Amino acid sequence: MWKKWSEQIANLLESCITHKSLRVGKLIHAHILRTGQASDIFLWNRLIDLYSKCNDPMSAHHVFVKMPERDVFSWNAMLCSLCTANKLADAQILFNEMPQRNVVSWNTMISGFVKTGDHAKALDMFLSMIQEGLLPTRFTLASIFSACGVSSELHLGRLCHGLAIKVGVYKNMYVGNALLSMYAKCRCVDDAFCAFADLPDPNEVSFTALMGALVETQRVEEALNVFKLMHRNKVCIDAVSLSSMLGVCAGGQGDDLLYKVHERLLHGLSMKLGFQNDSYLGNSLLDMYAKNGDMSSAEIIFQNLPEVSIVSWNIMIAGYGQMYRCDKAMELMERMELCGFQPDEVTFINILTTCIRSENVEVGQQVFDRITCPTLSSWNAMLSGYSQIGNHDETIVLFREMQFRNVKPDKTTLAILLGSCAETGLLECGKQIHAISLKAYLNSDRYVGSGLITLYSKSGKMDIAKSIFTRLPEVDIVCFNSVIAGFSLNSLEKESFDLFNIMRRRNMLPTQFSYATMLNCCAKQSLSSQGRQIHARIVKDGFMCDIFVGSALIDMYCKCGNVEGAREHFDAMPIKNVVIWNEMINGYAQNGFGTEAVHLYSCMMIEGEKPDEITFTAILTACSHSGLVDEGIRIFESMQTEHEVAPTLDHHTCVIDALGRAGRLHEAEFLIKKMPCKDDPVIWEVLLSSCRVYTNVLVAQRAFAKLFSLNPSSSTPYVLLGNIYSAMGRWEEARAVRELMTDKNVGKNAGHSWTESNIEDWTGDSYGYYVSQLQKALEIMLGNHSHFTIAILGSNARLFVAEPICHASQSRG
């Protein structure tokens, strides 16, 4: 009789647990207490289980305390109740007090830590369980694989994989899916495929995890093939699987016809499967079209969503932001507010990003001012905006306001600020940012370190920059590029080459920035042989079609005097932008090929490329150096009328120089008087320099008088006018100019020049012999009043000459 009554009560409690009927369960509990049948430990355990499943840990604990006797099931039931209520600290205490623990006890604790996100603690518990000599079950391993995936504990995950095979549960659906997800999160796609192949009957979770791993590693085609396999095997396709594949098509491949076909097919499949009213899938469709720039389709989806949420609005705003449509993004935010939605942090970040991409920082500032309590991401967005448009002073001011509001910077903040300090030469401010990075323990970050290197490099502090580089715990290609560029900027080309070779020995693949910097080093020193070696490496590494590398190659060959080599590379470039055209035109100009430069400029116009200020500087220089005066004037006059480019000082200087070289000094003087920049000393220096060739004293005297009024302390006008008088044999006037220069206490720094000679055949005793003979010949040729040095660098002899004061300095233009 008693046994039958106990079974009935147990069945009733089981029904209450299944249906989570807390009220009925309490009535049964009261009945047990009234009948005085409280000695059955099985019923007490079921009561704890009931309160646990109904999320009433207080009642469960009350039952546990009142129990006259407890077994391991009682302790496990109470443990489960605490873990279900996320009271892991209390559960840990209870676990430590247990007189006896079994696998269920350990599984309960491990699962509890995994669910609350304390994966490190879950892994520690698992290792302790193994040390206790207990074998894991499928529940243990499923939880552990999940923890290993989130924590990227790949080594431990592999060990547990072997353990799962040994225990014989690796083909279990839950264990297999957890194992597959772990490899997917650790981006071990081949291992994920193996785990997938071991599953006897993969379900939608298996396929979705595998597709996610392929997408994360950019193996998009394979992800699409897995989805097709899933569809062919008639595996249930749910909203999550479809959303995952829609994310694949939202990967920025909007211009690819294949991806457009796939996105339409997936859209049609979602409609066919009846998911048109699923809000989650609707937002995924919206996100796919928005990221691919198809805003017309996105608008249609948006209008037909069964339920518009803040997420939907944010996706639309981000979509227009990606297209630099600041006006549409702002309009959407206004509509969103009219519909009763309050912008959240994501909304403001999307709007700020849109404004920054559109370089509309003023509107961005207005949006930023609306945020009651801006997050660090919002501050960083605004700082980045001001920095990108070159308003570095405002960047610093905004950061100071951020400090006043007690918002702590992160590595992104400091990297932006260091970039602004480097661009504006604010070394002291940069040092303060450096101090902040030390205080926040961010100085060892690679991005902050790279910013510090750039700051000190541009300030001429290469010793500090190099010290920062060597102290970084981990360096990447960006850090190497920063130091290499710093050496080049400070004319330390040898150090640039040495560090570049170190980078190569570490098996780091140079970027286009690395190669552009090294080519610049070769160009500055006219190292044609090293330049050809770099060119060979560029071909090998596949950077020949890069615009930055291409322009640097043209510049290097032109500065080394190999214009034909530069033109061959120019013709081989598949895509030419204005930078490439400018480099080649400038190369012709600097090497005296004026006719070729003008012809190339005409080809540029025929190709439909729009010239800029640099184009006109290059072509006008070419006309000036080659005596193409009328051609130069025609191009100069077409700047504003045909191309809407306002002439700058450099353009005017080139025209004045061209007229001066042709002896048309009065035309040059007349043009200067009409120029908006007629008070710039450079223009008058160019005119005065031209007067020496044609011994036009009257124009020279007027140019000297103008220069004297503009800058009496400059030595250039005195030297130029003195040389003109000397060339005409008017020694008294020349002496008067030198005396005036002395009276005004004006001194002239020695000029410098160098030449290069190939000495590959100089060996042994002949090496020193040729150097001494070269030195004697130069003493005879230059005279004792000149100072020179012969430097031997590799296979090149370099002559360094300090010019005497009587030599005229070459003017710009």
Side-chain angles (χ1 to χ4, degrees), residues 227-248:
F227 181 77
K228 291 174 184 175
L229 176 64
M230 179 182 180
H231 192 245
R232 281 198 300 270
N233 290 354
K234 297 182 179 179
V235 176
C236 176
I237 297 175
D238 56 11
V240 177
S241 306
L242 269 175
S243 295
S244 178
M245 291 315 300
L246 291 171
V248 171

Side-chain angles (χ1 to χ4, degrees), residues 257-379:
L257 181 60
L258 178 63
Y259 281 86
K260 286 189 174 182
V261 170
H262 277 120
E263 68 184 36
R264 297 292 178 182
L265 288 173
L266 288 170
H267 190 175
L269 182 60
S270 68
M271 301 291 287
K272 182 180 178 181
L273 295 174
F275 291 124
Q276 60 267 29
N277 293 324
D278 188 285
S279 298
Y280 179 75
L281 189 63
N283 284 332
S284 297
L285 280 167
L286 193 64
D287 184 60
M288 177 188 70
Y289 285 120
K291 283 182 177 175
N292 289 342
D294 188 357
M295 292 309 296
S296 57
S297 296
E299 286 282 5
I300 295 171
I301 298 291
F302 183 74
Q303 295 297 330
N304 290 288
L305 282 176
E307 182 182 353
V308 177
S309 65
I310 187 74
V311 175
S312 315
W313 288 100
N314 287 341
I315 291 170
M316 291 297 292
I317 291 170
Y320 280 114
Q322 186 176 283
M323 299 177 67
Y324 303 91
R325 292 292 305 276
C326 183
D327 54 337
K328 288 292 292 183
M330 291 296 295
E331 178 189 325
L332 270 171
M333 190 170 78
E334 291 173 4
R335 282 172 52 196
M336 168 183 167
E337 290 178 299
L338 289 173
C339 292
F341 291 91
Q342 286 300 315
D344 61 5
E345 181 186 351
V346 177
T347 314
F348 285 121
I349 290 291
N350 286 342
I351 288 289
L352 289 174
T353 304
T354 303
C355 294
I356 289 162
R357 282 178 173 170
S358 308
E359 295 189 353
N360 197 343
V361 183
E362 289 183 4
V363 175
Q365 184 67 59
Q366 294 171 10
V367 173
F368 181 78
D369 292 338
R370 287 186 54 189
I371 307 174
T372 308
C373 186
T375 62
L376 181 58
S377 298
S378 304
W379 285 101

Side-chain angles (χ1 to χ4, degrees), residues 454-473:
T454 303
L455 167 73
Y456 287 113
S457 299
K458 290 190 174 182
S459 303
K461 309 287 185 181
M462 273 312 298
D463 289 341
I464 301 175
K466 189 176 179 181
S467 174
I468 291 169
F469 175 75
T470 55
R471 291 180 182 179
L472 285 172

Side-chain angles (χ1 to χ4, degrees), residues 12-225:
L12 289 171
L13 284 173
E14 187 64 38
S15 178
C16 292
I17 291 169
T18 303
H19 298 93
K20 294 184 179 180
S21 303
L22 181 60
R23 181 173 172 274
V24 177
K26 284 185 174 183
L27 292 174
I28 295 171
H29 186 183
H31 178 70
I32 293 172
L33 294 173
R34 277 200 310 270
T35 55
Q37 305 296 327
S39 60
D40 193 332
I41 193 171
F42 177 74
L43 294 180
W44 284 102
N45 289 341
R46 301 311 290 159
L47 282 170
I48 295 173
D49 198 22
L50 166 70
Y51 288 124
S52 174
K53 292 292 193 300
C54 294
N55 199 23
D56 188 357
M58 293 294 293
S59 298
H61 185 260
H62 179 74
V63 172
F64 181 77
V65 170
K66 295 292 184 181
M67 285 181 72
E69 185 181 353
R70 306 186 190 103
D71 59 8
V72 68
F73 298 102
S74 313
W75 289 89
N76 284 340
M78 189 62 227
L79 198 64
C80 180
S81 176
L82 293 172
C83 289
T84 303
N86 292 331
K87 294 186 175 184
L88 270 299
D90 295 334
Q92 183 73 66
I93 295 170
L94 185 70
F95 180 81
N96 294 335
E97 294 175 351
M98 289 179 71
Q100 183 185 357
R101 292 189 288 253
N102 59 11
V103 175
V104 176
S105 316
W106 290 94
N107 286 349
T108 303
M109 290 300 299
I110 291 169
S111 175
F113 282 122
V114 170
K115 287 177 181 176
T116 55
D118 195 347
H119 300 98
K121 189 65 177 173
L123 295 176
D124 289 340
M125 289 289 294
F126 172 71
L127 294 174
S128 298
M129 173 184 170
I130 298 298
Q131 289 172 359
E132 291 277 336
L134 295 172
L135 279 178
T137 65
R138 55 195 174 99
F139 300 107
T140 321
L141 291 169
S143 297
I144 289 303
F145 285 137
S146 176
C148 289
V150 175
S151 306
S152 298
E153 290 285 349
L154 180 61
H155 179 67
L156 180 59
R158 290 189 191 280
L159 292 175
C160 292
H161 187 178
L163 191 58
I165 294 173
K166 183 177 180 180
V167 176
V169 296
Y170 69 102
K171 290 189 177 183
N172 176 268
M173 183 61 68
Y174 296 104
V175 176
N177 283 340
L179 178 64
L180 172 58
S181 297
M182 181 203 70
Y183 283 129
K185 288 174 182 176
C186 294
R187 299 194 174 192
C188 297
V189 182
D190 293 334
D191 292 311
F193 265 116
C194 291
F196 181 82
D198 284 338
L199 289 171
D201 190 19
N203 60 8
E204 63 273 16
V205 177
S206 318
F207 278 97
T208 303
L210 184 59
M211 288 186 292
L214 291 166
V215 172
E216 284 294 320
T217 52
Q218 306 301 315
R219 295 164 68 167
V220 178
E221 288 293 335
E222 291 176 77
L224 290 168
N225 290 333

Side-chain angles (χ1 to χ4, degrees), residues 417-427 430 451 454-456 458-459:
L417 289 165
L418 288 168
S420 291
C421 292
E423 288 297 323
T424 52
L426 296 174
L427 178 59
T454 303
L455 167 73
Y456 287 113
K458 290 190 174 182
S459 303

